[in-house]
Amino acid sequence: MVAAASVVVAIGTAAGMLTALDDRRVHREAKPEVTASAFLAPLPAVPTPSASPSPSVSASPSPTNKPRPTPTPTPTPTLTKPKEQDLSVFASTRIYRHPESQVLDWVRANGADPRRAVIESRIADQPAALWFADFTPSTITSRVRAVTSGGAAQGRVPVVVAYTIPGRDCGGASEGGAPDLDAYDAWIDAFAAGLGSGEVVVILEPDSVAQADCLSAGERSRRFASLARAGRVLKAANPRARVYYDAGHSGWNPAAKQAGWLRQAGAASAASSDGVFSNVSNFHRTSDEIAYDRRVLDALGGPAGLGAVIDTSRNGNGAPADGEWCDPPGRGIGRAPTLSTGEDRIDAFLWVKLPGESDGCKGSPGTFSPSYAYELAR
């Protein structure tokens, strides 16, 4: 992961929001109706403005981007158009878009910037996930409740990311989290208390399973037990919550290895899990993630209803051939958030990472870079 741990928006998280099907994790059950959004046609290049963009006032974590052991990144193919057909999609009207984010702050403050229209229409107008990445036990319940109640008031589904596992990011750029697993368990209890009773999707701890190689066998076992507990607590607090576990991405661990770890972490149990998520803050093509997630689910076992959600926020041009993870050039936004994927066992395409928030190379980790956002969006 790459991001500075926990700079959050006024309401207490970061980034935007995402959608969910039959509550957060678009289960295979009844899926809500969706309405079409306009096709994102190629736009002409806009000269780089001379004016300096306003600094963002909030930052969100930027996980799961760092180099992986023996990665197998998807080569970038020769494109005949600026973006993969991932852009020809339909966004769900049920997704809750939180009114505060770094990109919205920038759009509001930069009305004369020539990049504004593109950034607003292609990024700011899309719902994205909200991150809770700082260990603040005294306020986490009220901050989560502010998001879930906001979604409920609009009849829409919020997507929230719990990201405070101890030893987060194995001491990398996004290090931080709770001081120990006992403290984490208590934080999860408080997080769950804010989930309310409506539909909500919970992305549970990006990198926590896929990156577990850095832990000893004993540490790994204890982390997985805590994650299994977290899923049970979240679903017991709100039976309409959909909880998804970390499957990494298609260029990381083999499906069988990942499934074995996920099983230990509770992802195969209906009492704690609705399935898995992949590609958070990464760039692998949707087609590669679909195939990978199905292999993980097959190896995982568990109830037939388990599914997968995929972060498509920056994968429109696939992953760089050289495996670069930190704000690599030539990337593009992918499919808009939707609960209607048309793909068996794939519950939703989500924007977990907000496009334009830096991995740490085009700005401080987690902060909004308008030049990067424009590069991704146009």
Side-chain angles (χ1 to χ4, degrees), residues 159-183:
V159 176
V160 294
V161 183
Y163 187 50
T164 60
I165 197 76
R168 187 175 69 193
D169 200 26
C170 294
S174 291
E175 66 180 336
D180 54 48
L181 287 173
D182 287 341

Side-chain angles (χ1 to χ4, degrees), residues 292-368:
Y292 173 73
D293 288 344
R294 286 173 177 164
R295 292 196 300 272
V296 170
L297 290 169
D298 286 345
L300 179 63
L306 295 183
V309 298
I310 297 168
D311 186 352
T312 59
S313 59
R314 303 189 298 179
N315 73 345
N317 286 342
D322 61 2
E324 176 58 51
W325 59 269
C326 187
D327 301 331
R331 303 310 96 203
I333 56 175
R335 296 192 186 188
T338 181
L339 301 175
S340 182
T341 70
E343 297 285 351
D344 182 50
R345 307 201 78 183
I346 307 302
D347 293 343
F349 300 136
L350 307 177
W351 281 17
V352 183
K353 168 75 171 180
L354 188 65
E357 291 188 359
S358 176
D359 300 322
C361 293
K362 294 184 181 293
S364 299
T367 57
F368 181 72

Side-chain angles (χ1 to χ4, degrees), residues 18-32 34 92 94-95 157 159 199-202 240-244 274-275 305-310 337-350:
L18 194 28
T19 166
L21 283 89
D22 180 343
D23 96 292
R24 167 49 186 123
R25 252 51 213 151
V26 340
H27 224 174
R28 235 122 347 272
E29 296 137 39
K31 303 202 192 306
V34 295
S92 170
R94 293 195 68 222
I95 300 172
V157 183
V159 176
E199 295 176 293
V200 58
V201 172
V202 182
R240 301 182 74 192
R242 295 211 179 265
V243 179
Y244 291 82
D274 292 280
L306 295 183
V309 298
I310 297 168
T338 181
L339 301 175
S340 182
T341 70
E343 297 285 351
D344 182 50
R345 307 201 78 183
I346 307 302
D347 293 343
F349 300 136
L350 307 177

Side-chain angles (χ1 to χ4, degrees), residues 219-242:
E219 290 170 335
R220 191 157 52 238
S221 178
R222 289 188 290 275
R223 172 182 285 189
F224 290 167
S226 192
L227 287 171
R229 177 192 182 276
R232 293 192 301 270
V233 168
L234 294 166
K235 292 186 70 64
N238 180 357
R240 301 182 74 192
R242 295 211 179 265

Side-chain angles (χ1 to χ4, degrees), residues 39 99 134 189 215 273 325 363:
F39 177 75
D134 53 339
D189 292 345
L215 304 175
S273 170
W325 59 269

